[in-house]
């Protein structure tokens, strides 16, 4: 359905804009991973926005426990152009250890939160429902009128 795909395109664009506005961009992988799809079923329309596995960490943080992969931290240091007197490997290890020990809470000084919730508001979702409803009603009205015309012959 064209209206749903337009909504998905607008919404994924708004998510990417919010991601950049919040300063969360490092490699750009998250932005590239976003995909909006929909499928029509017997019971309605299924709307899906999928993204990178680490979306939850961007959204709500990370529990303490396991350390994140070193290469991911090294990439982040490089992408964010983090300057330190420490060697990148040493800095990455210290960041890994801190994350593994303490986790990451959102909001924090680097991520105020709202990556998803600022965009996927009740208003935006209600607009989708209203637009889809209008399309379905128009089709039903057309089908009824066709039936009445054909039935009266």
């Amino acid at each position: 359905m064209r209206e749903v795909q337009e909504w998905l395109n607008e919404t994924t664009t708004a998510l990417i804009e919010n991601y950049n506005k919040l300063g969360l961009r490092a490699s750009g992988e998250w932005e590239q991973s976003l995909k909006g799809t929909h499928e029509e079923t017997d019971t309605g329309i299924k709307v899906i926005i999928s993204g990178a596995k680490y979306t939850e960490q961007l959204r709500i943080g990370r529990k303490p426990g396991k350390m994140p992969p070193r290469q991911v931290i090294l990439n982040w240091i490089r992408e964010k152009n983090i300057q330190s007197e420490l060697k990148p490997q040493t800095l990455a290890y210290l960041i890994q250890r801190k994350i593994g020990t303490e986790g990451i809470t959102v909001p924090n000084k680097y991520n105020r939160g709202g990556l998803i919730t600022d965009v996927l508001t009740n208003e935006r979702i209600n607009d989708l429902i209203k637009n889809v409803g209008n399309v379905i009603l128009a089709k039903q009205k057309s089908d009824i009128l066709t039936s009445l015309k054909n039935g009266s012959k």
Side-chain angles (χ1 to χ4, degrees), residues 38-147:
H38 71 282
E39 60 183 67
E40 295 183 41
T41 67
D42 293 339
T43 58
I45 299 171
K46 186 176 182 179
V47 177
I48 302 164
I49 299 176
S50 59
K53 287 183 180 181
Y54 59 89
T55 300
E56 279 299 290
Q57 282 83 20
L58 290 173
R59 194 175 76 78
I60 61 171
R62 177 186 176 116
K63 293 179 184 177
K66 189 176 174 185
M67 292 193 307
R70 170 118 10 125
Q71 191 58 51
V72 171
I73 302 298
L74 284 168
N75 292 346
W76 179 79
I77 290 169
R78 187 182 68 251
E79 296 289 339
K80 290 291 189 177
N81 198 26
I82 306 292
Q83 302 298 314
S84 172
E85 294 176 5
L86 301 173
K87 292 179 182 176
Q89 287 285 342
T90 304
L91 180 60
Y93 171 74
L94 293 173
I95 293 170
Q96 276 183 285
R97 188 177 67 187
K98 182 172 174 80
I99 293 171
T101 304
E102 299 177 18
I104 299 173
T105 57
V106 173
N108 61 53
K109 71 179 185 177
Y110 302 106
N111 180 353
R112 72 161 178 80
L115 173 63
I116 307 297
T117 56
D118 287 354
V119 176
L120 283 177
T121 61
N122 287 336
E123 181 181 355
R124 185 180 290 270
I125 292 167
N126 287 334
D127 285 346
L128 172 63
I129 293 167
K130 181 180 171 187
N131 289 338
V132 169
N134 288 340
V135 169
I136 292 171
L137 283 173
K139 182 176 177 356
Q140 293 298 325
K141 180 179 174 183
S142 175
D143 289 350
I144 291 168
L145 290 173
T146 301
S147 294

Side-chain angles (χ1 to χ4, degrees), residues 17-48:
E17 288 171 356
N18 197 38
Y19 163 75
N20 288 318
K21 182 179 91 177
L22 291 171
L24 298 176
R25 172 189 283 278
S27 68
E29 180 185 327
W30 186 82
E31 173 183 334
Q32 295 166 6
S33 75
L34 278 185
K35 302 283 181 262
T37 59
H38 71 282
E39 60 183 67
E40 295 183 41
T41 67
D42 293 339
T43 58
I45 299 171
K46 186 176 182 179
V47 177
I48 302 164

